[in-house]
Amino acid sequence: MNSQKSKGNFLPMLIIGALFFIFGFVTWLNGILIPYFKISCELSDFEATLVAFAFYISYTVMALPASWVLKKTGFHRGMTVGLLVMAIGTLVFVPAALSRAYWMFLSGLFIMGAGLAVLQTAANPYITIIGPRESAARRISIMGICNKLAGAFAPLILAYYILNDGDAFVKSLEGMDSIARAAALDSLAHRVIGPYLVMTSILVFLGIAVRYAPLPDVETEDDSVDSVTDFTNKSSIFQFPQLILGAIALFFYVGVEVIAGDTIIRYGISQGFKIETAKVFTTYTLIAMIVGYLAGILLIPKLISQRTALIASALLGIALSIVVVLASPTYSILALALLGLANALVWPAIWPLAIHDLGKFIKTGSAVLIMAIAGGAILPLLWGRLSDSISPQMAYIILIPSYFIILYYSVSGYKLRNWK
């Protein structure tokens, strides 16, 4: 019976895996877009990190509306809606590039993030529900590999088209007058048009394909009356400490994950590495995450528990963060890339702990956890401000308390069922 169910879930898993690949490809382009916009739009570090802010803050703005959309459309059709909204966002890059208007680029990123909010709010519970609960963490880890594998390739592919001659281009700007400089920067901005038109076409195609794909319409088993018997005295999502504290932990986790992946190229350049060398740094971070996911699939739960892996991830994050702040540039960047290893198992470990025992509140709870992705908007912005005012390296000091918060949740925060 279980074998038949696994076979029946193979095609849906394959389709959702493709969607997670798209999530990763679009999301981790930000790592190369930050230095690209810094050059083409002549920005400070703080202004450049608005790329991450515009992209991730849309999750907070759109998570609850996304939950409402999914209640109307169901998970299956909701995924199509998310893909088409993302296509609108990538299309906005065309007029943005033609006018070299940074605010328009940010608008496109916000719209893309809004589409991803719908997709993530549908796909994360879907991958949990589509098979046995006890193997949910493994399925989430497999999806994570799809996500980060795409993320490892994405900045390299985009960098080939928009910053392949980055070092020579920046040097050539030094001898130009204002008119020639503006023309060169306009030309640089136009380089994103082709790649983003291709992405628009792919997203539209996938939106149509998913709509007619044989995905089963599943409902959360937790919506049943029996599953909420123990929680009849709870009337608000805020009465579940494991969820609220889990959302806080995820806020800081997403923040440090985005900082490690999206600022490492800019940080490498600031430490004297050539653009040609630094443009691969985000890929190293994501390769480290893939290694972490594979380790999780092999070790959990046979050799270590999911919670033990979460504690180990937090402790490794603290240790590596100290190295990032104090070490020489080469070792600092290496430690920053290795944070991918520390980050890999945090999301798949926190998510099931946070939504456990929510009963009928599981859909709203999922939306609250998606809202926590706003950490990817706020913390990189804080890094950018500290980078401009202190130094890029010392700005990474914000990583240390973030990992301590994750450690607290992994040790005791997840156990709480009532506020005291």
Side-chain angles (χ1 to χ4, degrees):
M1 182 75 177
N2 287 337
S3 176
Q4 288 179 342
K5 188 171 183 179
S6 297
K7 289 179 181 178
N9 288 339
F10 176 76
L11 184 57
M13 281 278 290
L14 190 64
I15 294 170
I16 302 302
L19 291 181
F20 271 82
F21 189 89
I22 295 298
F23 297 168
F25 194 92
V26 173
T27 299
W28 294 104
L29 287 175
N30 292 340
I32 195 65
L33 287 178
I34 288 175
Y36 168 73
F37 286 136
K38 183 177 172 63
I39 297 169
S40 64
C41 298
E42 301 179 287
L43 309 171
S44 66
D45 279 341
F46 175 77
E47 290 169 332
T49 50
L50 285 171
V51 165
F53 179 83
F55 187 83
Y56 289 102
I57 201 64
S58 60
Y59 282 92
T60 298
V61 175
M62 292 302 299
L64 289 176
S67 179
W68 177 84
V69 168
L70 292 176
K71 286 178 181 178
K72 298 292 184 183
T73 64
F75 287 136
H76 190 172
R77 292 183 180 180
M79 293 177 198
T80 296
V81 172
L83 286 164
L84 295 180
V85 171
M86 287 175 64
I88 295 171
T90 54
L91 193 59
V92 169
F93 265 57
V94 176
L98 292 173
S99 59
R100 197 158 56 94
Y102 189 45
W103 69 268
M104 198 177 295
F105 281 120
L106 296 179
S107 299
L109 287 165
F110 181 90
I111 296 169
M112 290 164 62
L116 270 171
V118 176
L119 272 174
Q120 292 262 30
T121 306
N124 279 290
Y126 195 93
I127 202 65
T128 302
I129 296 162
I130 204 169
R133 179 189 293 273
E134 59 270 17
S135 61
R138 173 170 290 191
R139 289 194 299 278
I140 294 173
S141 291
I142 293 171
M143 294 303 105
I145 291 173
C146 295
N147 182 280
K148 299 309 182 292
L149 191 62
F153 289 112
L156 296 181
I157 294 171
L158 189 61
Y160 176 79
Y161 288 101
I162 67 174
L163 276 182
N164 194 39
D165 59 343
D167 295 296
F169 183 87
V170 170
K171 189 171 181 63
S172 71
L173 291 176
E174 296 173 2
M176 295 182 181
D177 58 33
S178 59
I179 296 176
R181 183 185 182 87
L185 293 174
D186 285 342
S187 175
L188 179 63
H190 293 171
R191 295 183 188 181
V192 297
I193 293 176
Y196 274 82
L197 281 176
V198 171
M199 275 190 276
T200 301
S201 302
I202 292 172
L203 289 168
V204 170
F205 171 78
L206 282 174
I208 296 170
V210 167
R211 174 65 186 87
Y212 296 102
L215 286 173
D217 288 320
V218 297
E219 263 305 331
T220 57
E221 60 186 14
D222 304 86
D223 283 344
S224 65
V225 175
D226 291 340
S227 68
V228 298
T229 303
D230 295 334
F231 306 112
T232 52
N233 63 326
K234 297 197 175 184
S235 58
S236 168
I237 200 73
F238 296 104
Q239 293 176 304
F240 295 90
Q242 78 273 25
L243 173 71
I244 303 305
L245 294 175
I248 292 170
L250 281 180
F251 176 92
F252 284 95
Y253 156 68
V254 177
V256 296
E257 180 189 38
V258 172
I259 286 173
D262 281 4
T263 70
I264 190 170
I265 296 176
R266 175 62 207 142
Y267 176 52
I269 295 171
S270 75
Q271 298 303 299
F273 288 88
K274 292 183 177 181
I275 294 174
E276 181 65 26
T277 302
K279 70 182 183 183
V280 302
F281 289 169
T282 294
T283 298
Y284 294 154
T285 304
L286 296 174
I287 290 173
M289 291 196 77
I290 292 170
V291 171
Y293 280 124
L294 290 173
I297 291 171
L298 294 173
L299 300 177
I300 302 171
K302 292 181 180 178
L303 299 178
I304 61 173
S305 70
Q306 193 164 268
R307 190 174 74 88
T308 300
L310 184 57
I311 293 172
S313 296
L315 291 173
L316 180 60
I318 292 168
L320 289 172
S321 297
I322 293 171
V323 176
V324 171
V325 173
L326 299 180
S328 62
T330 300
Y331 288 107
S332 177
I333 289 169
L334 177 61
L336 190 58
L338 286 175
L339 280 177
L341 185 62
N343 293 336
L345 298 179
V346 178
W347 179 278
I350 290 180
W351 185 277
L353 291 174
I355 65 172
H356 188 55
D357 290 340
L358 292 192
K360 65 182 180 181
F361 293 96
I362 190 169
K363 283 185 178 176
T364 307
S366 295
V368 170
L369 294 180
I370 292 297
M371 290 175 73
I373 293 176
I378 305 299
L379 293 191
L381 209 59
L382 179 57
W383 177 88
R385 178 61 74 191
L386 292 174
S387 177
D388 287 333
S389 59
I390 306 174
S391 75
Q393 184 169 13
M394 286 306 299
Y396 289 110
I397 195 75
I398 61 176
L399 297 174
I400 298 172
S402 300
Y403 282 110
F404 270 109
I405 290 169
I406 295 169
L407 181 63
Y408 163 74
Y409 186 76
S410 67
V411 172
S412 61
Y414 79 97
K415 299 177 184 178
L416 298 179
R417 289 300 181 269
N418 291 289
W419 299 108
K420 295 181 180 179

